[in-house]
mmCIF file of all heavy atoms in Angstrom:
data_model
loop_
_atom_site.group_PDB
_atom_site.id
_atom_site.type_symbol
_atom_site.label_atom_id
_atom_site.label_comp_id
_atom_site.label_asym_id
_atom_site.label_seq_id
_atom_site.Cartn_x
_atom_site.Cartn_y
_atom_site.Cartn_z
ATOM 1 N N ASP R 22 174.418 118.417 71.061
ATOM 2 C CA ASP R 22 175.591 117.894 71.672
ATOM 3 C C ASP R 22 175.926 118.417 73.181
ATOM 4 O O ASP R 22 176.892 117.998 73.804
ATOM 5 C CB ASP R 22 176.854 118.491 70.866
ATOM 6 C CG ASP R 22 176.766 117.777 69.536
ATOM 7 O OD1 ASP R 22 176.267 116.473 69.419
ATOM 8 O OD2 ASP R 22 177.165 118.391 68.526
ATOM 9 N N GLU R 23 174.918 119.150 73.777
ATOM 10 C CA GLU R 23 175.122 119.718 75.093
ATOM 11 C C GLU R 23 174.406 118.783 76.152
ATOM 12 O O GLU R 23 173.361 118.371 75.952
ATOM 13 C CB GLU R 23 174.422 121.039 74.983
ATOM 14 C CG GLU R 23 174.588 121.825 76.376
ATOM 15 C CD GLU R 23 173.841 123.255 76.261
ATOM 16 O OE1 GLU R 23 173.603 123.782 75.225
ATOM 17 O OE2 GLU R 23 173.552 123.747 77.366
ATOM 18 N N LYS R 24 175.311 118.637 77.168
ATOM 19 C CA LYS R 24 174.812 117.683 78.251
ATOM 20 C C LYS R 24 173.839 118.568 79.042
ATOM 21 O O LYS R 24 174.106 119.787 79.318
ATOM 22 C CB LYS R 24 175.955 117.315 79.052
ATOM 23 C CG LYS R 24 175.537 116.217 80.091
ATOM 24 C CD LYS R 24 176.876 115.846 80.876
ATOM 25 C CE LYS R 24 176.529 114.945 81.975
ATOM 26 N NZ LYS R 24 177.790 114.502 82.645
ATOM 27 N N ILE R 25 172.704 118.101 79.460
ATOM 28 C CA ILE R 25 171.753 118.668 80.268
ATOM 29 C C ILE R 25 171.666 117.920 81.588
ATOM 30 O O ILE R 25 172.249 116.925 81.746
ATOM 31 C CB ILE R 25 170.276 118.796 79.551
ATOM 32 C CG1 ILE R 25 169.810 117.416 79.286
ATOM 33 C CG2 ILE R 25 170.316 119.755 78.269
ATOM 34 C CD1 ILE R 25 168.461 117.551 78.418
ATOM 35 N N LEU R 26 170.833 118.575 82.551
ATOM 36 C CA LEU R 26 170.943 117.937 83.969
ATOM 37 C C LEU R 26 170.198 116.727 83.844
ATOM 38 O O LEU R 26 169.370 116.396 82.936
ATOM 39 C CB LEU R 26 170.052 118.939 84.691
ATOM 40 C CG LEU R 26 170.628 120.336 84.999
ATOM 41 C CD1 LEU R 26 169.629 121.249 85.790
ATOM 42 C CD2 LEU R 26 171.935 120.128 85.862
ATOM 43 N N PRO R 27 170.506 115.768 84.908
ATOM 44 C CA PRO R 27 169.826 114.475 85.000
ATOM 45 C C PRO R 27 168.300 114.594 84.889
ATOM 46 O O PRO R 27 167.795 115.635 85.519
ATOM 47 C CB PRO R 27 170.225 114.019 86.340
ATOM 48 C CG PRO R 27 171.539 114.656 86.680
ATOM 49 C CD PRO R 27 171.370 116.040 85.988
ATOM 50 N N ILE R 28 167.622 113.670 84.335
ATOM 51 C CA ILE R 28 166.247 113.760 84.010
ATOM 52 C C ILE R 28 165.444 113.324 85.244
ATOM 53 O O ILE R 28 165.741 112.260 85.770
ATOM 54 C CB ILE R 28 165.754 112.979 82.850
ATOM 55 C CG1 ILE R 28 166.500 113.479 81.545
ATOM 56 C CG2 ILE R 28 164.382 112.956 82.671
ATOM 57 C CD1 ILE R 28 166.288 112.616 80.436
ATOM 58 N N ASP R 29 164.586 114.090 85.765
ATOM 59 C CA ASP R 29 163.646 113.724 86.835
ATOM 60 C C ASP R 29 162.353 113.378 86.122
ATOM 61 O O ASP R 29 161.632 114.135 85.668
ATOM 62 C CB ASP R 29 163.396 114.966 87.836
ATOM 63 C CG ASP R 29 162.542 114.598 88.851
ATOM 64 O OD1 ASP R 29 162.135 113.327 89.152
ATOM 65 O OD2 ASP R 29 161.777 115.416 89.434
ATOM 66 N N LEU R 30 162.199 112.042 85.939
ATOM 67 C CA LEU R 30 161.143 111.518 85.167
ATOM 68 C C LEU R 30 159.798 111.591 85.792
ATOM 69 O O LEU R 30 158.690 111.854 85.154
ATOM 70 C CB LEU R 30 161.394 110.184 84.787
ATOM 71 C CG LEU R 30 162.578 109.923 83.843
ATOM 72 C CD1 LEU R 30 162.742 108.472 83.611
ATOM 73 C CD2 LEU R 30 162.406 110.831 82.510
ATOM 74 N N GLY R 31 159.651 111.443 87.087
ATOM 75 C CA GLY R 31 158.344 111.425 87.663
ATOM 76 C C GLY R 31 157.682 110.053 87.577
ATOM 77 O O GLY R 31 157.996 109.167 86.804
ATOM 78 N N ARG R 32 156.575 109.833 88.267
ATOM 79 C CA ARG R 32 155.930 108.508 88.306
ATOM 80 C C ARG R 32 155.354 108.053 87.102
ATOM 81 O O ARG R 32 155.637 106.888 86.734
ATOM 82 C CB ARG R 32 154.872 108.439 89.486
ATOM 83 C CG ARG R 32 154.358 107.114 89.830
ATOM 84 C CD ARG R 32 153.408 107.270 91.015
ATOM 85 N NE ARG R 32 152.247 108.123 90.670
ATOM 86 C CZ ARG R 32 151.184 107.666 89.954
ATOM 87 N NH1 ARG R 32 151.099 106.443 89.455
ATOM 88 N NH2 ARG R 32 150.141 108.482 89.782
ATOM 89 N N ILE R 33 154.662 108.832 86.424
ATOM 90 C CA ILE R 33 154.000 108.424 85.137
ATOM 91 C C ILE R 33 154.980 108.202 84.135
ATOM 92 O O ILE R 33 154.902 106.993 83.479
ATOM 93 C CB ILE R 33 153.029 109.500 84.613
ATOM 94 C CG1 ILE R 33 151.969 109.928 85.785
ATOM 95 C CG2 ILE R 33 152.404 109.198 83.370
ATOM 96 C CD1 ILE R 33 150.928 108.856 86.086
ATOM 97 N N ALA R 34 155.974 108.970 84.002
ATOM 98 C CA ALA R 34 156.995 108.805 82.999
ATOM 99 C C ALA R 34 157.870 107.619 83.214
ATOM 100 O O ALA R 34 158.232 106.853 82.357
ATOM 101 C CB ALA R 34 157.948 110.101 82.754
ATOM 102 N N ALA R 35 158.152 107.379 84.512
ATOM 103 C CA ALA R 35 158.847 106.088 84.916
ATOM 104 C C ALA R 35 158.060 104.874 84.564
ATOM 105 O O ALA R 35 158.644 103.823 84.212
ATOM 106 C CB ALA R 35 159.170 106.152 86.398
ATOM 107 N N GLN R 36 156.696 104.938 84.674
ATOM 108 C CA GLN R 36 155.830 103.809 84.417
ATOM 109 C C GLN R 36 155.908 103.504 82.851
ATOM 110 O O GLN R 36 155.937 102.444 82.386
ATOM 111 C CB GLN R 36 154.439 104.010 84.809
ATOM 112 C CG GLN R 36 153.458 102.893 84.697
ATOM 113 C CD GLN R 36 153.944 101.756 85.659
ATOM 114 O OE1 GLN R 36 154.488 102.097 86.794
ATOM 115 N NE2 GLN R 36 153.639 100.562 85.294
ATOM 116 N N THR R 37 155.896 104.630 82.046
ATOM 117 C CA THR R 37 156.068 104.501 80.541
ATOM 118 C C THR R 37 157.292 103.806 80.219
ATOM 119 O O THR R 37 157.421 102.914 79.505
ATOM 120 C CB THR R 37 156.001 105.956 80.001
ATOM 121 O OG1 THR R 37 154.854 106.536 80.230
ATOM 122 C CG2 THR R 37 156.135 105.741 78.488
ATOM 123 N N ALA R 38 158.538 104.170 80.926
ATOM 124 C CA ALA R 38 159.739 103.721 80.612
ATOM 125 C C ALA R 38 159.694 102.151 80.836
ATOM 126 O O ALA R 38 160.232 101.378 80.195
ATOM 127 C CB ALA R 38 160.767 104.347 81.617
ATOM 128 N N LYS R 39 159.106 101.748 82.107
ATOM 129 C CA LYS R 39 159.117 100.458 82.503
ATOM 130 C C LYS R 39 158.342 99.702 81.391
ATOM 131 O O LYS R 39 158.797 98.505 80.968
ATOM 132 C CB LYS R 39 158.344 100.358 83.751
ATOM 133 C CG LYS R 39 158.141 98.929 84.297
ATOM 134 C CD LYS R 39 157.420 98.801 85.709
ATOM 135 C CE LYS R 39 157.357 97.460 86.032
ATOM 136 N NZ LYS R 39 156.503 97.307 87.309
ATOM 137 N N GLN R 40 157.246 100.112 80.860
ATOM 138 C CA GLN R 40 156.411 99.421 79.833
ATOM 139 C C GLN R 40 157.243 99.337 78.609
ATOM 140 O O GLN R 40 157.236 98.090 78.011
ATOM 141 C CB GLN R 40 155.054 100.116 79.540
ATOM 142 C CG GLN R 40 154.108 100.085 80.737
ATOM 143 C CD GLN R 40 152.897 101.020 80.489
ATOM 144 O OE1 GLN R 40 152.852 101.725 79.637
ATOM 145 N NE2 GLN R 40 151.896 100.843 81.402
ATOM 146 N N VAL R 41 157.945 100.197 78.159
ATOM 147 C CA VAL R 41 158.730 100.187 76.900
ATOM 148 C C VAL R 41 159.821 99.123 77.133
ATOM 149 O O VAL R 41 160.127 98.259 76.266
ATOM 150 C CB VAL R 41 159.396 101.498 76.567
ATOM 151 C CG1 VAL R 41 160.385 101.430 75.422
ATOM 152 C CG2 VAL R 41 158.328 102.603 76.182
ATOM 153 N N ILE R 42 160.481 99.205 78.299
ATOM 154 C CA ILE R 42 161.580 98.181 78.532
ATOM 155 C C ILE R 42 161.023 96.712 78.468
ATOM 156 O O ILE R 42 161.658 95.857 77.968
ATOM 157 C CB ILE R 42 162.189 98.428 80.020
ATOM 158 C CG1 ILE R 42 163.007 99.713 79.886
ATOM 159 C CG2 ILE R 42 163.072 97.195 80.385
ATOM 160 C CD1 ILE R 42 163.537 100.263 81.295
ATOM 161 N N ILE R 43 159.877 96.425 79.197
ATOM 162 C CA ILE R 43 159.245 95.129 79.162
ATOM 163 C C ILE R 43 158.997 94.678 77.716
ATOM 164 O O ILE R 43 159.329 93.565 77.387
ATOM 165 C CB ILE R 43 158.044 95.081 80.083
ATOM 166 C CG1 ILE R 43 158.453 95.282 81.628
ATOM 167 C CG2 ILE R 43 157.267 93.848 79.884
ATOM 168 C CD1 ILE R 43 157.294 95.476 82.610
ATOM 169 N N GLN R 44 158.498 95.556 76.920
ATOM 170 C CA GLN R 44 158.044 95.257 75.610
ATOM 171 C C GLN R 44 159.353 94.849 74.768
ATOM 172 O O GLN R 44 159.297 93.917 73.998
ATOM 173 C CB GLN R 44 157.257 96.364 75.018
ATOM 174 C CG GLN R 44 156.865 96.165 73.508
ATOM 175 C CD GLN R 44 155.940 94.970 73.306
ATOM 176 O OE1 GLN R 44 155.144 94.626 74.272
ATOM 177 N NE2 GLN R 44 156.077 94.253 72.208
ATOM 178 N N ARG R 45 160.353 95.698 74.900
ATOM 179 C CA ARG R 45 161.476 95.566 74.182
ATOM 180 C C ARG R 45 162.279 94.190 74.580
ATOM 181 O O ARG R 45 162.805 93.517 73.753
ATOM 182 C CB ARG R 45 162.539 96.723 74.283
ATOM 183 C CG ARG R 45 162.043 98.029 73.658
ATOM 184 C CD ARG R 45 162.119 97.971 72.145
ATOM 185 N NE ARG R 45 163.507 97.608 71.545
ATOM 186 C CZ ARG R 45 164.374 98.776 71.313
ATOM 187 N NH1 ARG R 45 163.985 99.972 71.392
ATOM 188 N NH2 ARG R 45 165.627 98.431 70.831
ATOM 189 N N ILE R 46 162.299 93.915 75.847
ATOM 190 C CA ILE R 46 162.785 92.677 76.339
ATOM 191 C C ILE R 46 162.013 91.519 75.800
ATOM 192 O O ILE R 46 162.712 90.467 75.417
ATOM 193 C CB ILE R 46 162.932 92.669 77.946
ATOM 194 C CG1 ILE R 46 164.083 93.595 78.382
ATOM 195 C CG2 ILE R 46 163.294 91.271 78.431
ATOM 196 C CD1 ILE R 46 164.205 93.829 79.862
ATOM 197 N N ARG R 47 160.811 91.566 75.772
ATOM 198 C CA ARG R 47 159.942 90.560 75.241
ATOM 199 C C ARG R 47 160.306 90.195 73.753
ATOM 200 O O ARG R 47 160.437 89.023 73.342
ATOM 201 C CB ARG R 47 158.395 90.837 75.308
ATOM 202 C CG ARG R 47 157.874 90.501 76.774
ATOM 203 C CD ARG R 47 156.401 90.434 76.678
ATOM 204 N NE ARG R 47 155.863 90.383 77.972
ATOM 205 C CZ ARG R 47 154.992 91.121 78.605
ATOM 206 N NH1 ARG R 47 154.515 92.260 77.799
ATOM 207 N NH2 ARG R 47 154.550 91.132 79.759
ATOM 208 N N GLU R 48 160.478 91.253 72.953
ATOM 209 C CA GLU R 48 160.723 91.154 71.489
ATOM 210 C C GLU R 48 162.098 90.655 71.400
ATOM 211 O O GLU R 48 162.391 89.810 70.597
ATOM 212 C CB GLU R 48 160.786 92.575 70.937
ATOM 213 C CG GLU R 48 159.444 93.168 70.742
ATOM 214 C CD GLU R 48 159.398 94.678 70.367
ATOM 215 O OE1 GLU R 48 160.496 95.143 70.137
ATOM 216 O OE2 GLU R 48 158.199 95.178 70.216
ATOM 217 N N ALA R 49 163.095 90.998 72.229
ATOM 218 C CA ALA R 49 164.520 90.498 72.092
ATOM 219 C C ALA R 49 164.453 89.033 72.648
ATOM 220 O O ALA R 49 165.194 88.231 71.892
ATOM 221 C CB ALA R 49 165.440 91.218 73.087
ATOM 222 N N GLU R 50 163.805 88.653 73.661
ATOM 223 C CA GLU R 50 163.700 87.207 74.016
ATOM 224 C C GLU R 50 163.035 86.406 73.044
ATOM 225 O O GLU R 50 163.459 85.299 72.664
ATOM 226 C CB GLU R 50 162.748 87.154 75.247
ATOM 227 C CG GLU R 50 162.875 85.904 75.978
ATOM 228 C CD GLU R 50 162.167 85.977 77.289
ATOM 229 O OE1 GLU R 50 161.327 86.994 77.552
ATOM 230 O OE2 GLU R 50 162.126 84.922 78.099
ATOM 231 N N ALA R 51 162.050 86.904 72.375
ATOM 232 C CA ALA R 51 161.437 86.225 71.149
ATOM 233 C C ALA R 51 162.531 86.037 69.892
ATOM 234 O O ALA R 51 162.479 84.899 69.332
ATOM 235 C CB ALA R 51 160.158 86.847 70.641
ATOM 236 N N ASP R 52 163.191 86.899 69.694
ATOM 237 C CA ASP R 52 164.358 86.794 68.629
ATOM 238 C C ASP R 52 165.282 85.788 69.049
ATOM 239 O O ASP R 52 165.599 84.954 68.262
ATOM 240 C CB ASP R 52 165.004 88.120 68.494
ATOM 241 C CG ASP R 52 164.213 89.239 67.717
ATOM 242 O OD1 ASP R 52 163.071 88.826 67.219
ATOM 243 O OD2 ASP R 52 164.555 90.426 67.848
ATOM 244 N N VAL R 53 165.701 85.665 70.442
ATOM 245 C CA VAL R 53 166.586 84.696 70.784
ATOM 246 C C VAL R 53 166.049 83.278 70.568
ATOM 247 O O VAL R 53 166.720 82.377 69.987
ATOM 248 C CB VAL R 53 167.026 84.915 72.186
ATOM 249 C CG1 VAL R 53 167.768 83.647 72.879
ATOM 250 C CG2 VAL R 53 167.856 86.154 72.418
ATOM 251 N N VAL R 54 164.776 83.106 70.998
ATOM 252 C CA VAL R 54 164.015 81.793 70.871
ATOM 253 C C VAL R 54 163.996 81.460 69.376
ATOM 254 O O VAL R 54 164.164 80.413 68.828
ATOM 255 C CB VAL R 54 162.691 81.807 71.552
ATOM 256 C CG1 VAL R 54 161.878 80.571 71.161
ATOM 257 C CG2 VAL R 54 162.806 81.883 73.067
ATOM 258 N N PHE R 55 163.514 82.433 68.584
ATOM 259 C CA PHE R 55 163.413 82.150 67.067
ATOM 260 C C PHE R 55 164.672 81.662 66.524
ATOM 261 O O PHE R 55 164.725 80.707 65.786
ATOM 262 C CB PHE R 55 162.827 83.475 66.440
ATOM 263 C CG PHE R 55 162.632 83.243 64.886
ATOM 264 C CD1 PHE R 55 161.511 82.627 64.441
ATOM 265 C CD2 PHE R 55 163.672 83.574 63.987
ATOM 266 C CE1 PHE R 55 161.317 82.436 63.061
ATOM 267 C CE2 PHE R 55 163.431 83.404 62.675
ATOM 268 C CZ PHE R 55 162.226 82.937 62.187
ATOM 269 N N ASP R 56 165.781 82.367 66.733
ATOM 270 C CA ASP R 56 167.033 82.149 66.198
ATOM 271 C C ASP R 56 167.583 80.684 66.596
ATOM 272 O O ASP R 56 168.051 79.916 65.757
ATOM 273 C CB ASP R 56 168.084 83.155 66.633
ATOM 274 C CG ASP R 56 167.928 84.539 65.999
ATOM 275 O OD1 ASP R 56 167.180 84.477 64.865
ATOM 276 O OD2 ASP R 56 168.514 85.463 66.466
ATOM 277 N N GLU R 57 167.364 80.348 67.821
ATOM 278 C CA GLU R 57 167.700 78.982 68.330
ATOM 279 C C GLU R 57 166.856 77.936 67.692
ATOM 280 O O GLU R 57 167.352 76.881 67.256
ATOM 281 C CB GLU R 57 167.459 78.875 69.862
ATOM 282 C CG GLU R 57 167.875 77.609 70.473
ATOM 283 C CD GLU R 57 167.853 77.548 72.007
ATOM 284 O OE1 GLU R 57 167.964 78.695 72.683
ATOM 285 O OE2 GLU R 57 167.669 76.497 72.481
ATOM 286 N N PHE R 58 165.473 78.079 67.565
ATOM 287 C CA PHE R 58 164.734 76.977 67.056
ATOM 288 C C PHE R 58 164.622 76.937 65.650
ATOM 289 O O PHE R 58 164.289 76.061 65.061
ATOM 290 C CB PHE R 58 163.331 77.006 67.796
ATOM 291 C CG PHE R 58 163.275 76.428 69.023
ATOM 292 C CD1 PHE R 58 163.480 77.210 70.284
ATOM 293 C CD2 PHE R 58 163.094 75.021 69.266
ATOM 294 C CE1 PHE R 58 163.620 76.577 71.466
ATOM 295 C CE2 PHE R 58 163.130 74.404 70.492
ATOM 296 C CZ PHE R 58 163.349 75.265 71.597
ATOM 297 N N GLU R 59 164.927 78.119 64.937
ATOM 298 C CA GLU R 59 165.066 78.016 63.547
ATOM 299 C C GLU R 59 166.093 77.069 63.008
ATOM 300 O O GLU R 59 165.981 76.421 61.975
ATOM 301 C CB GLU R 59 165.425 79.511 62.996
ATOM 302 C CG GLU R 59 165.530 79.627 61.505
ATOM 303 C CD GLU R 59 164.344 79.409 60.677
ATOM 304 O OE1 GLU R 59 163.221 79.506 61.291
ATOM 305 O OE2 GLU R 59 164.437 79.183 59.577
ATOM 306 N N ARG R 60 167.106 76.889 63.809
ATOM 307 C CA ARG R 60 168.102 75.946 63.533
ATOM 308 C C ARG R 60 167.660 74.368 63.542
ATOM 309 O O ARG R 60 168.241 73.639 63.011
ATOM 310 C CB ARG R 60 169.405 76.049 64.454
ATOM 311 C CG ARG R 60 170.227 77.243 64.306
ATOM 312 C CD ARG R 60 171.377 77.256 65.110
ATOM 313 N NE ARG R 60 170.950 77.463 66.577
ATOM 314 C CZ ARG R 60 171.293 76.563 67.492
ATOM 315 N NH1 ARG R 60 172.143 75.569 67.272
ATOM 316 N NH2 ARG R 60 170.956 76.770 68.823
ATOM 317 N N TYR R 61 166.525 74.283 64.231
ATOM 318 C CA TYR R 61 165.987 72.984 64.589
ATOM 319 C C TYR R 61 164.896 72.624 63.564
ATOM 320 O O TYR R 61 164.250 71.552 63.520
ATOM 321 C CB TYR R 61 165.399 72.785 65.925
ATOM 322 C CG TYR R 61 166.565 72.697 66.978
ATOM 323 C CD1 TYR R 61 166.790 73.745 67.825
ATOM 324 C CD2 TYR R 61 167.361 71.464 67.197
ATOM 325 C CE1 TYR R 61 167.829 73.636 68.781
ATOM 326 C CE2 TYR R 61 168.266 71.384 68.110
ATOM 327 C CZ TYR R 61 168.552 72.492 68.890
ATOM 328 O OH TYR R 61 169.563 72.387 69.799
ATOM 329 N N ARG R 62 164.540 73.616 62.661
ATOM 330 C CA ARG R 62 163.588 73.264 61.579
ATOM 331 C C ARG R 62 163.892 72.059 60.829
ATOM 332 O O ARG R 62 165.115 71.935 60.437
ATOM 333 C CB ARG R 62 163.399 74.435 60.741
ATOM 334 C CG ARG R 62 162.251 74.326 59.692
ATOM 335 C CD ARG R 62 162.347 75.505 58.692
ATOM 336 N NE ARG R 62 162.240 76.756 59.252
ATOM 337 C CZ ARG R 62 161.131 77.561 59.077
ATOM 338 N NH1 ARG R 62 160.006 77.055 58.540
ATOM 339 N NH2 ARG R 62 161.020 78.853 59.686
ATOM 340 N N HIS R 63 162.862 71.147 60.704
ATOM 341 C CA HIS R 63 163.079 69.890 60.000
ATOM 342 C C HIS R 63 164.016 68.981 60.758
ATOM 343 O O HIS R 63 164.774 68.062 60.124
ATOM 344 C CB HIS R 63 163.665 70.084 58.531
ATOM 345 C CG HIS R 63 162.704 71.094 57.806
ATOM 346 N ND1 HIS R 63 161.318 70.902 57.619
ATOM 347 C CD2 HIS R 63 163.063 72.177 57.060
ATOM 348 C CE1 HIS R 63 160.887 71.918 56.901
ATOM 349 N NE2 HIS R 63 161.820 72.599 56.559
ATOM 350 N N MET R 64 164.071 69.018 61.997
ATOM 351 C CA MET R 64 164.925 68.129 62.837
ATOM 352 C C MET R 64 163.988 67.607 63.989
ATOM 353 O O MET R 64 162.960 68.120 64.142
ATOM 354 C CB MET R 64 166.131 68.861 63.318
ATOM 355 C CG MET R 64 167.163 69.415 62.260
ATOM 356 S SD MET R 64 168.497 70.082 62.838
ATOM 357 C CE MET R 64 169.429 68.591 63.477
#
């Protein structure tokens, strides 16, 4: 529950964060497309 100092991630850790974000956005985007086109099944 204790707040700690802002995190200085450094270049390698920042690159890891970027990869995780891109992967999660791709997954979320696929969910949006799936939900939209699932409604069009058999149409």
Side-chain angles (χ1 to χ4, degrees):
D22 292 329
E23 187 181 334
K24 188 176 175 184
I25 56 178
L26 292 173
I28 301 170
D29 173 23
L30 295 176
R32 190 176 60 81
I33 302 294
Q36 191 64 30
T37 301
K39 182 181 174 185
Q40 289 168 353
V41 171
I42 290 166
I43 290 169
Q44 179 61 31
R45 291 290 297 271
I46 288 173
R47 278 196 191 125
E48 288 168 6
E50 195 174 5
D52 288 343
V53 167
V54 170
F55 180 82
D56 291 344
E57 181 175 333
F58 279 90
E59 179 65 15
R60 292 183 293 124
Y61 289 106
R62 187 191 295 260
H63 308 308
M64 296 183 77

